[in-house]
Each structure stands twice: as structure tokens, then as C-alpha cells.
Amino acid sequence: GGGPRWRRRRSNMAPAPGGRYFCTAGRGLEPFLAREVRARLGATEVDYVSGKVFFSTEAEAGELRKLKCGERLFLLLKKRSPLALCREKGKMLHAIKSFVVEEPQCWLDIISVWRNLHGCERKKEDVSQENGLPLKRKSEETDIAAKRLKTEQERLSEECQVETEERCGVPEGKTAQDCWNEGKASLGKASGSSGENPMAKEKLSFSFRVSCRCSGAIAKILPSQEVGRAVGIALMKQFGWQADLRDPELEIFVHLNDIHSLVGIPLFRLPLANREYIQTAGLRSTVAWAMASLAEIRAGAFVLDPMCGLGTILLEAAKEWPEACYWGADVSDAQLEGADVNVRSAGLVDKIELLKASVKALPLPSESFDAVISDIPFGKKFKMTKDIELLADILQEMERMLRVGGTLVLLLSQDLHKHMDDLTHRAENDSPRAIPHGTSEAATAKALDVEGTPSSLENGVEESFLSSSQPRFGSLVPDGVYGVSLGKTDAFIHKYRKASAPGN
């Protein structure tokens, strides 16, 4: 088959010690990511909530980096139910610090796993940044952090020393700093002589930063910055690490909300969604990959994006399913030039063909493509009534392009999504609903057939869409609707299957 050549592992394998992860995902993409980690990594214990997918795997760092539908990947250090709320900030901070720093051996075990997985990853990421691919967010964060770095380090150390002095007292003739340094030295000696943990001596050399996010009820009591500061001091006291806001060796992620309390360590500096092969970003790469995954691309298939823009969808598809042939069309010279740069940068010139053409009149033979995938960029230049008319013309042309049995995948704005019923002549009470966030993995399994072969309807939420009694847009049968987030706005992925030639 033409599915991705993903390395599978036995599903009954027990996860390696510390091999528990969570990966952040855009809203609506959690089911796609859950399916991907099972297929690509042989993950077990897969579960997800809003914005995060949890799983266990024995996969190596190189395999973990290949995840396409996630944003940031973390080693899961601690996870528990939401902390009990208390109006007294002091008690809340004490509870948070206790939760984070308890079980020191757990910290050392996870950090050991992190170091083994990390390997030369930082060097690879540094090379990517030198090649002009640093994230805007990282750049801005570095500038701000640089200004605060010195004072923040001094303040954290001073606060920690004050707490130590208040608890134990400072011997006459010695400063708090002297006691602090001696304590670190003593801890290092004791750890080094025990021989119990090879990480003990090295742990003192870590520089770290705490990234904290509080949301929900707890955010009304404690700001994230205050929690992060308290956790940072607690970790300095516990392990002797030094705070570094600008370029830490280790980042600690703490997220407290109404669903859970989490502590994790980012495995890679750059997000998974940062594609080194895309020079100019268009549609979010994770959404583009999810759309391509719905198209059931096989070896030897012909795939078309008739409104390709910068070619993100084609790039994601061609990287994952390289044994197919891809075509992209657009009326904009500027967009096609950007797409050409991206295609060349990705080394996919022999896989992706670009042409200038109107989506309403493509100079291509009828029924010549196995899949048509496209982001419909309406709502900017035309009024909605005009958009609806254009969409009807475009659907008809896309229908013409598809072979019988082919798949059509569209990304639509909220407004166009609402009007799709009218275009497909469906009764309002029979219209498909977008899969709500939190839908079970089984409900989306059909969408992500990882071997590239047709899935049965037993998995699915789409089964009701395929009833022969449902009205159709020509020969296109609705085959699923998925709500996703594009950041500031929401959108919907619509999937159709061509059941017969038009007029039959």
C-alpha cells in the first residue's frame, strides 16, 4: 500500500521507565494526534484532553521527532488531579511546591531519560536556528529574558538564601552565600560518595527555567508568574540548580488548571510543528498534515490542490506519502513563487508540479485525480453571497477532477461551513455536525487509516453520512466534518467521497 512507512512496535510492549509523554495539540487535532502516536510510535496508554495527548512509548528521540500533528512534546514528570483550592496564597503555594519537588528520585530518573533522549538534539536545533529558522516567539522571549536575566537570578538566589537563613540561622562570621555554597558542596560530596545515582554529581551543573501556566479557578487565586517563582526557588533549594531565563539547559513546564496538575520537561527546543523544510509558512503545518491524512493517499496516486497558495498541504502530503504524484494550481504569481521556493527547499521538485490556473477552469482532464485537498481562502476579498456562488462553482470543478472512489478534503471558514448544507441540498436537520472536541479516538480512527487502505465503517461517526437516502452534491457523498482551530479563528475540515460519475 501507499501508506507512510512508519515503524511499528508491538502494542503489548511495556513502556520503558520514564517513557510517558504528553504532546500539546491545536484544538480539534487531539484525535488525529492520538491516532498518529499509536500508528507511528506503537504508543500505549493513549489518552487525551483539551490541547494535550498523553501516551507511553519506547520510541527513540528520532522517531518522536517525526510526529506531524503535535506542537510541543514533553516528558511527563508528574500528573495528578487538580490541586485543592484555598484562598490563602501561602497555603496554595506550599501545596504547589510540595507537589512539584516531592520524590526527588523521580526527578533524577526522568532527567536521566531526558538526557539519554536528548543526545545531540540540541546541536541539531542550534544548526536549524543558525540557518535562519528560529521561532519568532523564541526570539522575542530571548530579548525580554536577557533584560531580566541578571536581576532575576540574583533575586531568586537571594530569596532562597533568605529562606535558608530563616530556617537554620547563619553562623557568625559567614554570609548566607557562604552557607549556600557550602551546602551545595556538601550535597555534591554526599551524592558522589554514595554511588547510588550517577546523576547525583551532575545534577548541580544544570541551569533551568520554569514556565508556568495557570488557568481556570486557580488562576483567580495565583498568577502564573508567582507560581513559577515559588517553584523555581523550591527547585534551587532541592537540587542546587541555577536559574537561567535566557538559555537554560533544562526547562520545567508546570500547568495547573481545572482538569489536572502537570509537570513536564520539553524534549526538543523547537516545536514539532516547526518544519525545517518550509521556508515560507502558509496554513498551519499540523492542520495541513491532518487534512492530507484524511485523503487516503496511496502509492501511485495523483493528488491535486487547486488553490495551493504557498503549497503547505502539498509539502506535508509529499513528505509523508512520497510515492504519490502531486499537482498544485493557483492564480497568484506571488503565491506560486512562494510555493516554488518551498518545494525546492524541501527537495520535492520531482514530486510536486505547479501551474498557474483558475480553480474554476482547470486545464486538466476530467477524473484524473485520486484526491483533491484544498484550503478555501474566502471571506477576505468578496462578500459572503459572492463566496457562496464561487464555492458552488469550485465544488463542481473539483468534482470533475476526481475519479470515482476519490476523496475530496476541504478546509472551510465558519461561514462557509454553515452554508455547505445549502450547497449540498441537505435538509437542515440531516446535516453533519462537526466532531466536537474530546470525541473518542474510535470516532476518528477511520480518518487516519495509517496503512493507506480503506477503513471499515465500524469505527465511525461518519457511518450516518453515507446513507443512500442522503442528498448529494452531484456525486460527492459527505464523509465527515472535523472542527479545528486556526489560532484566532475556528475552521472545519469537510471530507467527501466521489461515489459515481456525475449524472449517474
Side-chain angles (χ1 to χ4, degrees), residues 182-205:
E182 288 179 7
K184 286 169 60 180
S186 298
L187 179 60
K189 288 181 180 179
S191 300
S193 60
S194 67
E196 292 180 0
N197 194 313
M199 279 289 297
K201 289 182 70 175
E202 297 178 55
K203 69 181 181 181
L204 300 178
S205 64

mmCIF file with all atom_site columns, all heavy atoms in Angstrom, residues 182-205:
data_model
loop_
_atom_site.group_PDB
_atom_site.id
_atom_site.type_symbol
_atom_site.label_atom_id
_atom_site.label_alt_id
_atom_site.label_comp_id
_atom_site.label_asym_id
_atom_site.label_entity_id
_atom_site.label_seq_id
_atom_site.pdbx_PDB_ins_code
_atom_site.Cartn_x
_atom_site.Cartn_y
_atom_site.Cartn_z
_atom_site.occupancy
_atom_site.B_iso_or_equiv
_atom_site.pdbx_formal_charge
_atom_site.auth_seq_id
_atom_site.auth_comp_id
_atom_site.auth_asym_id
_atom_site.auth_atom_id
_atom_site.pdbx_PDB_model_num
ATOM 1   N N   . GLU A 1 182 ? 28.466 26.184 50.579 1.00 0.00 ? 182 GLU A N   1
ATOM 2   C CA  . GLU A 1 182 ? 28.922 25.021 51.329 1.00 0.00 ? 182 GLU A CA  1
ATOM 3   C C   . GLU A 1 182 ? 27.893 23.907 51.292 1.00 0.00 ? 182 GLU A C   1
ATOM 4   O O   . GLU A 1 182 ? 28.229 22.726 51.209 1.00 0.00 ? 182 GLU A O   1
ATOM 5   C CB  . GLU A 1 182 ? 29.208 25.413 52.784 1.00 0.00 ? 182 GLU A CB  1
ATOM 6   C CG  . GLU A 1 182 ? 30.473 26.251 52.926 1.00 0.00 ? 182 GLU A CG  1
ATOM 7   C CD  . GLU A 1 182 ? 30.716 26.634 54.370 1.00 0.00 ? 182 GLU A CD  1
ATOM 8   O OE1 . GLU A 1 182 ? 29.990 26.132 55.249 1.00 0.00 ? 182 GLU A OE1 1
ATOM 9   O OE2 . GLU A 1 182 ? 31.639 27.428 54.623 1.00 0.00 ? 182 GLU A OE2 1
ATOM 10  N N   . GLY A 1 183 ? 26.631 24.297 51.363 1.00 0.00 ? 183 GLY A N   1
ATOM 11  C CA  . GLY A 1 183 ? 25.557 23.301 51.305 1.00 0.00 ? 183 GLY A CA  1
ATOM 12  C C   . GLY A 1 183 ? 25.586 22.556 49.983 1.00 0.00 ? 183 GLY A C   1
ATOM 13  O O   . GLY A 1 183 ? 25.426 21.336 49.921 1.00 0.00 ? 183 GLY A O   1
ATOM 14  N N   . LYS A 1 184 ? 25.786 23.306 48.916 1.00 0.00 ? 184 LYS A N   1
ATOM 15  C CA  . LYS A 1 184 ? 25.862 22.676 47.595 1.00 0.00 ? 184 LYS A CA  1
ATOM 16  C C   . LYS A 1 184 ? 27.063 21.724 47.522 1.00 0.00 ? 184 LYS A C   1
ATOM 17  O O   . LYS A 1 184 ? 26.975 20.619 47.000 1.00 0.00 ? 184 LYS A O   1
ATOM 18  C CB  . LYS A 1 184 ? 25.993 23.748 46.511 1.00 0.00 ? 184 LYS A CB  1
ATOM 19  C CG  . LYS A 1 184 ? 24.715 24.502 46.239 1.00 0.00 ? 184 LYS A CG  1
ATOM 20  C CD  . LYS A 1 184 ? 24.937 25.712 45.360 1.00 0.00 ? 184 LYS A CD  1
ATOM 21  C CE  . LYS A 1 184 ? 25.507 25.349 44.021 1.00 0.00 ? 184 LYS A CE  1
ATOM 22  N NZ  . LYS A 1 184 ? 25.731 26.514 43.150 1.00 0.00 ? 184 LYS A NZ  1
ATOM 23  N N   . ALA A 1 185 ? 28.209 22.185 48.083 1.00 0.00 ? 185 ALA A N   1
ATOM 24  C CA  . ALA A 1 185 ? 29.408 21.355 48.038 1.00 0.00 ? 185 ALA A CA  1
ATOM 25  C C   . ALA A 1 185 ? 29.210 20.081 48.852 1.00 0.00 ? 185 ALA A C   1
ATOM 26  O O   . ALA A 1 185 ? 29.588 18.993 48.431 1.00 0.00 ? 185 ALA A O   1
ATOM 27  C CB  . ALA A 1 185 ? 30.603 22.155 48.577 1.00 0.00 ? 185 ALA A CB  1
ATOM 28  N N   . SER A 1 186 ? 28.610 20.233 50.020 1.00 0.00 ? 186 SER A N   1
ATOM 29  C CA  . SER A 1 186 ? 28.363 19.059 50.864 1.00 0.00 ? 186 SER A CA  1
ATOM 30  C C   . SER A 1 186 ? 27.422 18.083 50.185 1.00 0.00 ? 186 SER A C   1
ATOM 31  O O   . SER A 1 186 ? 27.629 16.872 50.221 1.00 0.00 ? 186 SER A O   1
ATOM 32  C CB  . SER A 1 186 ? 27.752 19.504 52.209 1.00 0.00 ? 186 SER A CB  1
ATOM 33  O OG  . SER A 1 186 ? 28.650 20.338 52.902 1.00 0.00 ? 186 SER A OG  1
ATOM 34  N N   . LEU A 1 187 ? 26.386 18.638 49.558 1.00 0.00 ? 187 LEU A N   1
ATOM 35  C CA  . LEU A 1 187 ? 25.431 17.783 48.857 1.00 0.00 ? 187 LEU A CA  1
ATOM 36  C C   . LEU A 1 187 ? 26.127 17.032 47.735 1.00 0.00 ? 187 LEU A C   1
ATOM 37  O O   . LEU A 1 187 ? 25.906 15.851 47.511 1.00 0.00 ? 187 LEU A O   1
ATOM 38  C CB  . LEU A 1 187 ? 24.282 18.633 48.302 1.00 0.00 ? 187 LEU A CB  1
ATOM 39  C CG  . LEU A 1 187 ? 23.206 17.901 47.512 1.00 0.00 ? 187 LEU A CG  1
ATOM 40  C CD1 . LEU A 1 187 ? 22.552 16.847 48.396 1.00 0.00 ? 187 LEU A CD1 1
ATOM 41  C CD2 . LEU A 1 187 ? 22.162 18.870 47.001 1.00 0.00 ? 187 LEU A CD2 1
ATOM 42  N N   . GLY A 1 188 ? 27.039 17.737 47.029 1.00 0.00 ? 188 GLY A N   1
ATOM 43  C CA  . GLY A 1 188 ? 27.765 17.105 45.941 1.00 0.00 ? 188 GLY A CA  1
ATOM 44  C C   . GLY A 1 188 ? 28.649 15.978 46.433 1.00 0.00 ? 188 GLY A C   1
ATOM 45  O O   . GLY A 1 188 ? 28.716 14.908 45.839 1.00 0.00 ? 188 GLY A O   1
ATOM 46  N N   . LYS A 1 189 ? 29.332 16.195 47.567 1.00 0.00 ? 189 LYS A N   1
ATOM 47  C CA  . LYS A 1 189 ? 30.191 15.158 48.117 1.00 0.00 ? 189 LYS A CA  1
ATOM 48  C C   . LYS A 1 189 ? 29.390 13.941 48.552 1.00 0.00 ? 189 LYS A C   1
ATOM 49  O O   . LYS A 1 189 ? 29.732 12.807 48.255 1.00 0.00 ? 189 LYS A O   1
ATOM 50  C CB  . LYS A 1 189 ? 30.971 15.711 49.310 1.00 0.00 ? 189 LYS A CB  1
ATOM 51  C CG  . LYS A 1 189 ? 32.069 16.685 48.930 1.00 0.00 ? 189 LYS A CG  1
ATOM 52  C CD  . LYS A 1 189 ? 32.802 17.170 50.164 1.00 0.00 ? 189 LYS A CD  1
ATOM 53  C CE  . LYS A 1 189 ? 33.916 18.158 49.792 1.00 0.00 ? 189 LYS A CE  1
ATOM 54  N NZ  . LYS A 1 189 ? 34.608 18.647 51.001 1.00 0.00 ? 189 LYS A NZ  1
ATOM 55  N N   . ALA A 1 190 ? 28.313 14.228 49.270 1.00 0.00 ? 190 ALA A N   1
ATOM 56  C CA  . ALA A 1 190 ? 27.483 13.121 49.756 1.00 0.00 ? 190 ALA A CA  1
ATOM 57  C C   . ALA A 1 190 ? 26.918 12.323 48.602 1.00 0.00 ? 190 ALA A C   1
ATOM 58  O O   . ALA A 1 190 ? 26.894 11.093 48.627 1.00 0.00 ? 190 ALA A O   1
ATOM 59  C CB  . ALA A 1 190 ? 26.354 13.659 50.631 1.00 0.00 ? 190 ALA A CB  1
ATOM 60  N N   . SER A 1 191 ? 26.462 13.036 47.567 1.00 0.00 ? 191 SER A N   1
ATOM 61  C CA  . SER A 1 191 ? 25.883 12.344 46.423 1.00 0.00 ? 191 SER A CA  1
ATOM 62  C C   . SER A 1 191 ? 26.937 11.555 45.683 1.00 0.00 ? 191 SER A C   1
ATOM 63  O O   . SER A 1 191 ? 26.712 10.439 45.235 1.00 0.00 ? 191 SER A O   1
ATOM 64  C CB  . SER A 1 191 ? 25.227 13.363 45.467 1.00 0.00 ? 191 SER A CB  1
ATOM 65  O OG  . SER A 1 191 ? 24.223 14.071 46.141 1.00 0.00 ? 191 SER A OG  1
ATOM 66  N N   . GLY A 1 192 ? 28.126 12.155 45.547 1.00 0.00 ? 192 GLY A N   1
ATOM 67  C CA  . GLY A 1 192 ? 29.174 11.493 44.793 1.00 0.00 ? 192 GLY A CA  1
ATOM 68  C C   . GLY A 1 192 ? 29.699 10.257 45.487 1.00 0.00 ? 192 GLY A C   1
ATOM 69  O O   . GLY A 1 192 ? 30.070 9.278  44.852 1.00 0.00 ? 192 GLY A O   1
ATOM 70  N N   . SER A 1 193 ? 29.735 10.276 46.822 1.00 0.00 ? 193 SER A N   1
ATOM 71  C CA  . SER A 1 193 ? 30.286 9.137  47.541 1.00 0.00 ? 193 SER A CA  1
ATOM 72  C C   . SER A 1 193 ? 29.297 8.003  47.725 1.00 0.00 ? 193 SER A C   1
ATOM 73  O O   . SER A 1 193 ? 29.665 6.878  47.992 1.00 0.00 ? 193 SER A O   1
ATOM 74  C CB  . SER A 1 193 ? 30.774 9.595  48.924 1.00 0.00 ? 193 SER A CB  1
ATOM 75  O OG  . SER A 1 193 ? 29.694 10.136 49.669 1.00 0.00 ? 193 SER A OG  1
ATOM 76  N N   . SER A 1 194 ? 28.011 8.335  47.596 1.00 0.00 ? 194 SER A N   1
ATOM 77  C CA  . SER A 1 194 ? 27.006 7.296  47.824 1.00 0.00 ? 194 SER A CA  1
ATOM 78  C C   . SER A 1 194 ? 27.022 6.235  46.746 1.00 0.00 ? 194 SER A C   1
ATOM 79  O O   . SER A 1 194 ? 26.756 5.072  47.005 1.00 0.00 ? 194 SER A O   1
ATOM 80  C CB  . SER A 1 194 ? 25.608 7.927  47.892 1.00 0.00 ? 194 SER A CB  1
ATOM 81  O OG  . SER A 1 194 ? 25.242 8.444  46.624 1.00 0.00 ? 194 SER A OG  1
ATOM 82  N N   . GLY A 1 195 ? 27.300 6.656  45.511 1.00 0.00 ? 195 GLY A N   1
ATOM 83  C CA  . GLY A 1 195 ? 27.323 5.727  44.394 1.00 0.00 ? 195 GLY A CA  1
ATOM 84  C C   . GLY A 1 195 ? 25.954 5.200  44.018 1.00 0.00 ? 195 GLY A C   1
ATOM 85  O O   . GLY A 1 195 ? 25.826 4.275  43.242 1.00 0.00 ? 195 GLY A O   1
ATOM 86  N N   . GLU A 1 196 ? 24.899 5.801  44.561 1.00 0.00 ? 196 GLU A N   1
ATOM 87  C CA  . GLU A 1 196 ? 23.563 5.289  44.311 1.00 0.00 ? 196 GLU A CA  1
ATOM 88  C C   . GLU A 1 196 ? 23.007 5.761  42.979 1.00 0.00 ? 196 GLU A C   1
ATOM 89  O O   . GLU A 1 196 ? 22.263 5.060  42.330 1.00 0.00 ? 196 GLU A O   1
ATOM 90  C CB  . GLU A 1 196 ? 22.622 5.722  45.446 1.00 0.00 ? 196 GLU A CB  1
ATOM 91  C CG  . GLU A 1 196 ? 22.947 5.053  46.768 1.00 0.00 ? 196 GLU A CG  1
ATOM 92  C CD  . GLU A 1 196 ? 22.000 5.504  47.867 1.00 0.00 ? 196 GLU A CD  1
ATOM 93  O OE1 . GLU A 1 196 ? 21.116 6.336  47.563 1.00 0.00 ? 196 GLU A OE1 1
ATOM 94  O OE2 . GLU A 1 196 ? 22.135 5.039  48.999 1.00 0.00 ? 196 GLU A OE2 1
ATOM 95  N N   . ASN A 1 197 ? 23.352 6.977  42.582 1.00 0.00 ? 197 ASN A N   1
ATOM 96  C CA  . ASN A 1 197 ? 22.767 7.516  41.358 1.00 0.00 ? 197 ASN A CA  1
ATOM 97  C C   . ASN A 1 197 ? 23.815 8.288  40.577 1.00 0.00 ? 197 ASN A C   1
ATOM 98  O O   . ASN A 1 197 ? 24.384 9.259  41.087 1.00 0.00 ? 197 ASN A O   1
ATOM 99  C CB  . ASN A 1 197 ? 21.587 8.433  41.693 1.00 0.00 ? 197 ASN A CB  1
ATOM 100 C CG  . ASN A 1 197 ? 20.753 8.743  40.467 1.00 0.00 ? 197 ASN A CG  1
ATOM 101 O OD1 . ASN A 1 197 ? 21.296 9.085  39.424 1.00 0.00 ? 197 ASN A OD1 1
ATOM 102 N ND2 . ASN A 1 197 ? 19.450 8.607  40.593 1.00 0.00 ? 197 ASN A ND2 1
ATOM 103 N N   . PRO A 1 198 ? 24.119 7.883  39.354 1.00 0.00 ? 198 PRO A N   1
ATOM 104 C CA  . PRO A 1 198 ? 25.152 8.559  38.561 1.00 0.00 ? 198 PRO A CA  1
ATOM 105 C C   . PRO A 1 198 ? 24.789 9.993  38.224 1.00 0.00 ? 198 PRO A C   1
ATOM 106 O O   . PRO A 1 198 ? 25.633 10.765 37.818 1.00 0.00 ? 198 PRO A O   1
ATOM 107 C CB  . PRO A 1 198 ? 25.235 7.700  37.285 1.00 0.00 ? 198 PRO A CB  1
ATOM 108 C CG  . PRO A 1 198 ? 23.905 7.025  37.206 1.00 0.00 ? 198 PRO A CG  1
ATOM 109 C CD  . PRO A 1 198 ? 23.505 6.775  38.620 1.00 0.00 ? 198 PRO A CD  1
ATOM 110 N N   . MET A 1 199 ? 23.518 10.353 38.389 1.00 0.00 ? 199 MET A N   1
ATOM 111 C CA  . MET A 1 199 ? 23.101 11.722 38.088 1.00 0.00 ? 199 MET A CA  1
ATOM 112 C C   . MET A 1 199 ? 23.414 12.676 39.228 1.00 0.00 ? 199 MET A C   1
ATOM 113 O O   . MET A 1 199 ? 23.390 13.882 39.066 1.00 0.00 ? 199 MET A O   1
ATOM 114 C CB  . MET A 1 199 ? 21.587 11.758 37.835 1.00 0.00 ? 199 MET A CB  1
ATOM 115 C CG  . MET A 1 199 ? 21.175 11.337 36.457 1.00 0.00 ? 199 MET A CG  1
ATOM 116 S SD  . MET A 1 199 ? 21.662 12.577 35.286 1.00 0.00 ? 199 MET A SD  1
ATOM 117 C CE  . MET A 1 199 ? 20.668 13.946 35.888 1.00 0.00 ? 199 MET A CE  1
ATOM 118 N N   . ALA A 1 200 ? 23.686 12.153 40.432 1.00 0.00 ? 200 ALA A N   1
ATOM 119 C CA  . ALA A 1 200 ? 23.759 12.986 41.623 1.00 0.00 ? 200 ALA A CA  1
ATOM 120 C C   . ALA A 1 200 ? 24.816 14.081 41.509 1.00 0.00 ? 200 ALA A C   1
ATOM 121 O O   . ALA A 1 200 ? 24.571 15.226 41.863 1.00 0.00 ? 200 ALA A O   1
ATOM 122 C CB  . ALA A 1 200 ? 24.025 12.118 42.843 1.00 0.00 ? 200 ALA A CB  1
ATOM 123 N N   . LYS A 1 201 ? 26.022 13.733 41.030 1.00 0.00 ? 201 LYS A N   1
ATOM 124 C CA  . LYS A 1 201 ? 27.076 14.739 40.948 1.00 0.00 ? 201 LYS A CA  1
ATOM 125 C C   . LYS A 1 201 ? 26.781 15.756 39.864 1.00 0.00 ? 201 LYS A C   1
ATOM 126 O O   . LYS A 1 201 ? 27.034 16.942 40.010 1.00 0.00 ? 201 LYS A O   1
ATOM 127 C CB  . LYS A 1 201 ? 28.418 14.058 40.670 1.00 0.00 ? 201 LYS A CB  1
ATOM 128 C CG  . LYS A 1 201 ? 28.948 13.263 41.853 1.00 0.00 ? 201 LYS A CG  1
ATOM 129 C CD  . LYS A 1 201 ? 30.295 12.652 41.527 1.00 0.00 ? 201 LYS A CD  1
ATOM 130 C CE  . LYS A 1 201 ? 31.379 13.702 41.415 1.00 0.00 ? 201 LYS A CE  1
ATOM 131 N NZ  . LYS A 1 201 ? 32.703 13.119 41.214 1.00 0.00 ? 201 LYS A NZ  1
ATOM 132 N N   . GLU A 1 202 ? 26.212 15.297 38.749 1.00 0.00 ? 202 GLU A N   1
ATOM 133 C CA  . GLU A 1 202 ? 25.993 16.167 37.613 1.00 0.00 ? 202 GLU A CA  1
ATOM 134 C C   . GLU A 1 202 ? 24.795 17.079 37.789 1.00 0.00 ? 202 GLU A C   1
ATOM 135 O O   . GLU A 1 202 ? 24.670 18.072 37.110 1.00 0.00 ? 202 GLU A O   1
ATOM 136 C CB  . GLU A 1 202 ? 25.812 15.334 36.340 1.00 0.00 ? 202 GLU A CB  1
ATOM 137 C CG  . GLU A 1 202 ? 27.033 14.523 35.987 1.00 0.00 ? 202 GLU A CG  1
ATOM 138 C CD  . GLU A 1 202 ? 26.789 13.681 34.751 1.00 0.00 ? 202 GLU A CD  1
ATOM 139 O OE1 . GLU A 1 202 ? 26.411 14.248 33.711 1.00 0.00 ? 202 GLU A OE1 1
ATOM 140 O OE2 . GLU A 1 202 ? 26.957 12.461 34.829 1.00 0.00 ? 202 GLU A OE2 1
ATOM 141 N N   . LYS A 1 203 ? 23.915 16.721 38.703 1.00 0.00 ? 203 LYS A N   1
ATOM 142 C CA  . LYS A 1 203 ? 22.680 17.476 38.829 1.00 0.00 ? 203 LYS A CA  1
ATOM 143 C C   . LYS A 1 203 ? 22.925 18.929 39.210 1.00 0.00 ? 203 LYS A C   1
ATOM 144 O O   . LYS A 1 203 ? 22.131 19.802 38.928 1.00 0.00 ? 203 LYS A O   1
ATOM 145 C CB  . LYS A 1 203 ? 21.761 16.817 39.847 1.00 0.00 ? 203 LYS A CB  1
ATOM 146 C CG  . LYS A 1 203 ? 22.247 16.896 41.289 1.00 0.00 ? 203 LYS A CG  1
ATOM 147 C CD  . LYS A 1 203 ? 21.281 16.186 42.218 1.00 0.00 ? 203 LYS A CD  1
ATOM 148 C CE  . LYS A 1 203 ? 21.760 16.289 43.659 1.00 0.00 ? 203 LYS A CE  1
ATOM 149 N NZ  . LYS A 1 203 ? 20.859 15.606 44.583 1.00 0.00 ? 203 LYS A NZ  1
ATOM 150 N N   . LEU A 1 204 ? 24.078 19.198 39.904 1.00 0.00 ? 204 LEU A N   1
ATOM 151 C CA  . LEU A 1 204 ? 24.352 20.546 40.360 1.00 0.00 ? 204 LEU A CA  1
ATOM 152 C C   . LEU A 1 204 ? 24.724 21.475 39.214 1.00 0.00 ? 204 LEU A C   1
ATOM 153 O O   . LEU A 1 204 ? 24.755 22.687 39.400 1.00 0.00 ? 204 LEU A O   1
ATOM 154 C CB  . LEU A 1 204 ? 25.482 20.512 41.402 1.00 0.00 ? 204 LEU A CB  1
ATOM 155 C CG  . LEU A 1 204 ? 25.193 19.684 42.660 1.00 0.00 ? 204 LEU A CG  1
ATOM 156 C CD1 . LEU A 1 204 ? 26.392 19.696 43.592 1.00 0.00 ? 204 LEU A CD1 1
ATOM 157 C CD2 . LEU A 1 204 ? 23.970 20.215 43.383 1.00 0.00 ? 204 LEU A CD2 1
ATOM 158 N N   . SER A 1 205 ? 25.043 20.933 38.055 1.00 0.00 ? 205 SER A N   1
ATOM 159 C CA  . SER A 1 205 ? 25.503 21.761 36.952 1.00 0.00 ? 205 SER A CA  1
ATOM 160 C C   . SER A 1 205 ? 24.368 22.290 36.087 1.00 0.00 ? 205 SER A C   1
ATOM 161 O O   . SER A 1 205 ? 24.599 23.069 35.183 1.00 0.00 ? 205 SER A O   1
ATOM 162 C CB  . SER A 1 205 ? 26.465 20.956 36.066 1.00 0.00 ? 205 SER A CB  1
ATOM 163 O OG  . SER A 1 205 ? 25.780 19.869 35.459 1.00 0.00 ? 205 SER A OG  1
#
